[in-house]
Amino acid sequence: IVFTEKQEALVKESWEILKQDIPKYSLHFFSQILEIAPAAKDMFSFLRDTDEVPYNNPKLKAHAVKVFKMTCETAIQLREKGKVVVADTTLQYLGSVHLKSGVLDPHFEVVKEALVRTLKEGLGEKYNEEVEGAWSQAYDHLALAIKTEMKQED
Ligand code: HEM
Ligand code: ISQ
């Protein structure tokens, strides 16, 4: 695959912007997941006892940030090496967490759409199809790595 320097720069620049308001964008990201797939709520342990999506929930924030950061990291690797290298232990761990939570392949499209909507919200006028394409490509590679790991586990 080809991942250009421009694409890498777009991903890094947009993360720098969203990073400035983590509570806001992690909540937005998560709310979008639930808007697209309401039933996904029950998979998340930190939401099981609440009706509302909690603002500033430490787990929600930490996990949401990790999704963004890992996608960013994937973009960098795609540009540098043309492939994705996530530490084996990390992948194994994420594979097992998602498998145990009941995550299925179609959910990965839901999370991608939610990620894209969050970028749109955060970037405003700086958002465009090129930005979306760069994030989508990086996300797809990361998602594939996790899905592959999930399939090797059962
Ligand atoms: C947990 C990342 C896709 C649902 C997590 C955690 C991370 C993560 C870092 C926290 C693990 C921990 O430390 O406990 C990612 C990445 C994804 C992805 C990078 C895609 C590239 C998905 C999808 C779903 C999902 C598609 C389904 C809607 C969950 C659930 C948990 C979780 C239910 C457990 C949360 C809890 O109960 O504590 N994910 N995830 N994830 N993720 Fe994802
Ligand atoms: C876990 N996995 C994927 C996406 C997420 C978004 C918000 C909080 C936790 C998440």
Side-chain angles (χ1 to χ4, degrees), residues 43-45 63 67 93-94 98 101 103 107-108 111 139 142:
M43 297 194 294
F44 292 87
S45 62
H63 293 181
V67 177
Y93 174 68
L94 285 181
H98 290 91
S101 305
V103 175
H107 290 126
F108 282 88
V111 170
Y139 175 89
L142 178 58

Side-chain angles (χ1 to χ4, degrees), residues 61-93:
K61 261 194 313 192
H63 293 181
V65 164
K66 208 147 179 211
V67 177
F68 273 99
K69 276 195 183 159
M70 287 186 78
T71 309
C72 227
E73 192 53 40
T74 299
I76 295 165
Q77 293 187 353
L78 281 174
R79 220 274 300 156
E80 281 178 355
K81 310 192 182 83
K83 62 175 182 176
V84 188
V85 191
V86 185
D88 258 9
T89 47
T90 306
L91 266 188
Q92 263 175 31
Y93 174 68

Side-chain angles (χ1 to χ4, degrees), residues 26 29-30 33 44 46 59-61 63-64 67 98 111:
S26 52
F29 182 27
F30 196 75
I33 296 177
F44 292 87
F46 49 84
K59 266 200 169 174
L60 192 157
K61 261 194 313 192
H63 293 181
V67 177
H98 290 91
V111 170

